[in-house]
């Protein structure tokens, strides 16, 4: 056996090949490429519940803004009140959500009302978030402004927001934009205070202290060093504002405050059809069901998007 091994030819020179060395390639760190928004999308769409709620939310929003364009629904139209065959029809293949005392289709009424309620919620949330984030960011880095804004916040925050909205609605009168002004007049202050706390936490971190020491302008430090790290916090705030503003509109319309009598909304429909809760329950419960689907889907999608936008969930 030993003699056989000794007699085999030794081709050691052919077993090794000299390769060239690339100095630049040796310095490359071999790690997966990280994309923030790509990781946000991957985390967000990893949940089946989130995908289902997102599809439901998009479907409701599309119905709310597209269906009224074709239905031509008018809340003040009573032309079918004398047509007894069209009144109080229960949900069927012809009338999907049934008809009311005036012979109007509840299906058309609900989506026309949802368009108004959702529009108010989105516009009020956008105004509140933009003003609140800008003011809160400046509030959190400026000690002189902090003293003034704290006094204003302590006074206004002790007054119930709903009371402020009702008083302003009565003062300026009913109307779409009047209601939005009443909602956003002081609501931005709560968002600003929330952002102020987050900014104060971020501003004292080492890299911000070093940046301020090197003479970085305050505006650049706010929009480059602080706010990009608060994306998940801002999204969380928006996800809470949207359902709350829709709920405010529904409650005020139920009381007959805020919108004009000719403007349909989910709150006005719920108020109008509440006497029929026992005799014709579909008139009351279907608008309530659509309202619940809107608020729940918006909240769940918003909260999951806030969680996905937190870089700590990308590990």
């Amino acid at each position: 056996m030993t003699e056989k091994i000794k007699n085999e030819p030794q081709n050691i020179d052919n077993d090794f090949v000299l390769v060239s060395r690339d100095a630049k390639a040796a310095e490359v760190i071999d790690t997966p490429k990280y994309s923030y928004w790509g990781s946000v999308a991957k985390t967000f769409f990893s949940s089946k519940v989130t995908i289902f709620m997102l599809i439901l939310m998009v479907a409701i929003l599309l119905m709310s803004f597209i269906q009224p364009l074709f239905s031509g629904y008018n809340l003040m139209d009573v032309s079918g009140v004398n047509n007894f065959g069209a009144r109080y029809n229960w949900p069927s293949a012809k009338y999907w959500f049934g008809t009311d005392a005036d012979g109007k289709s509840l299906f058309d009424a609900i989506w026309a009302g949802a368009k108004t309620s959702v529009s108010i919620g989105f516009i009020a949330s956008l105004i509140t978030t933009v003003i609140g984030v800008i003011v809160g960011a400046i509030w959190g880095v400026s000690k002189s402004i902090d003293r003034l804004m704290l006094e204003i916040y302590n006074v206004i925050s002790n007054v119930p927001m709903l009371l402020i909205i009702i008083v302003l609605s009565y003062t300026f009168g009913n109307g779409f934009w009047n209601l939005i002004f009443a909602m956003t007049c002081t609501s931005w202050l709560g968002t600003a205070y929330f952002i102020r706390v987050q900014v104060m936490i971020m501003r004292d971190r080492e890299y911000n202290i070093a940046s301020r020491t090197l003479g970085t302008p305050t505006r650049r430090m706010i929009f480059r060093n602080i706010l990009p790290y608060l994306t998940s916090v801002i999204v969380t705030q928006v996800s809470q504002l949207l359902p709350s503003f829709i709920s405010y509109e529904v409650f005020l319309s139920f009381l007959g405050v805020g919108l004009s009598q000719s403007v349909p909304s989910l709150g006005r429909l719920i108020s109008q059809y509440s006497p029929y809760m026992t005799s014709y329950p579909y008139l009351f419960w279907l608008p309530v069901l659509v309202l619940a689907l809107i608020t729940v889907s918006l909240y769940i999608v918003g909260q999951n998007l806030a969680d996905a936008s937190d870089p700590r969930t990308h590990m």
Side-chain angles (χ1 to χ4, degrees):
M1 185 72 176
T2 306
E3 293 179 358
K4 183 179 180 181
I5 295 176
K6 289 181 179 180
N7 294 332
E8 287 183 356
Q10 303 294 323
N11 296 326
I12 297 177
D13 295 339
N14 297 331
D15 294 339
F16 297 93
V17 178
L18 182 65
V19 296
S20 59
R21 178 178 178 275
D22 189 348
K24 291 184 179 181
E27 297 295 329
V28 175
I29 301 176
D30 188 14
T31 58
K33 186 178 180 181
Y34 175 76
S35 172
Y36 173 74
W37 291 111
S39 298
V40 169
K42 182 179 179 180
T43 305
F44 180 75
F45 290 106
S46 62
S47 172
K48 294 181 180 180
V49 175
T50 303
I51 297 174
F52 174 76
M53 284 297 177
L54 179 63
I55 295 173
L56 178 63
M57 184 190 74
V58 172
I60 291 175
L61 294 180
L62 289 177
M63 285 295 296
S64 300
F65 287 94
I66 295 177
Q67 199 275 341
L69 297 176
F70 298 97
S71 67
Y73 176 81
N74 183 5
L75 182 64
M76 307 305 293
D77 182 19
V78 293
S79 58
V81 68
N82 293 322
N83 184 2
F84 293 95
R87 297 172 59 185
Y88 296 122
N89 286 298
W90 286 72
S92 62
K94 183 178 180 181
Y95 301 105
W96 289 3
F97 287 180
T99 59
D100 61 5
D102 299 326
K104 294 193 293 288
S105 172
L106 184 61
F107 183 82
D108 297 338
I110 285 178
W111 296 120
K115 177 183 178 181
T116 303
S117 300
V118 171
S119 298
I120 290 175
F122 271 99
I123 295 173
S125 298
L126 178 63
I127 295 173
T128 299
T129 303
V130 171
I131 297 177
V133 169
I134 295 175
V135 174
I138 300 174
W139 185 359
V141 298
S142 175
K143 294 183 179 179
S144 58
I145 295 178
D146 184 46
R147 289 191 291 267
L148 173 64
M149 291 299 298
L150 274 178
E151 296 299 328
I152 297 174
Y153 175 78
N154 290 333
V155 172
I156 296 179
S157 63
N158 288 311
V159 182
M161 182 179 172
L162 189 60
L163 178 61
I164 296 175
I165 296 175
I166 292 175
V167 170
L168 291 177
S169 297
Y170 275 117
T171 302
F172 295 102
N174 294 337
F176 183 87
W177 292 107
N178 290 345
L179 178 59
I180 290 178
F181 174 77
M183 286 182 173
T184 58
C185 185
T186 58
S187 62
W188 61 268
L189 196 58
T191 301
Y193 181 79
F194 180 74
I195 296 297
R196 171 245 185 195
V197 175
Q198 302 300 319
V199 169
M200 290 180 68
I201 296 173
M202 298 290 296
R203 76 179 184 187
D204 294 330
R205 292 188 175 179
E206 291 79 2
Y207 62 89
N208 282 324
I209 295 175
S211 181
R212 188 164 57 247
T213 303
L214 294 173
T216 302
T218 302
R219 184 179 64 180
R220 182 180 178 86
M221 191 172 69
I222 291 173
F223 291 101
R224 293 293 184 89
N225 294 8
I226 298 177
L227 287 184
Y229 294 94
L230 299 180
T231 302
S232 61
V233 174
I234 296 173
V235 174
T236 301
Q237 191 72 4
V238 173
S239 68
Q240 296 173 351
L241 287 174
L242 267 170
S244 66
F245 279 127
I246 294 176
S247 300
Y248 281 140
E249 182 279 321
V250 170
F251 180 73
L252 293 173
S253 297
F254 186 83
L255 297 178
V257 182
L259 294 174
S260 303
Q261 293 296 326
S262 59
V263 179
S265 72
L266 290 177
R268 190 173 300 282
L269 293 178
I270 294 172
S271 174
Q272 179 180 347
Y273 298 136
S274 58
Y276 303 99
M277 190 182 302
T278 55
S279 56
Y280 299 99
Y282 67 91
L283 290 174
F284 175 80
W285 289 110
L286 285 177
V288 171
L289 176 61
V290 172
L291 172 64
L293 291 176
I294 291 174
T295 54
V296 170
S297 62
L298 285 173
Y299 180 78
I300 292 178
V301 171
Q303 286 294 314
N304 289 342
L305 180 59
D307 293 339
S309 59
D310 189 349
R312 290 174 294 183
T313 62
H314 302 170
M315 301 298 292

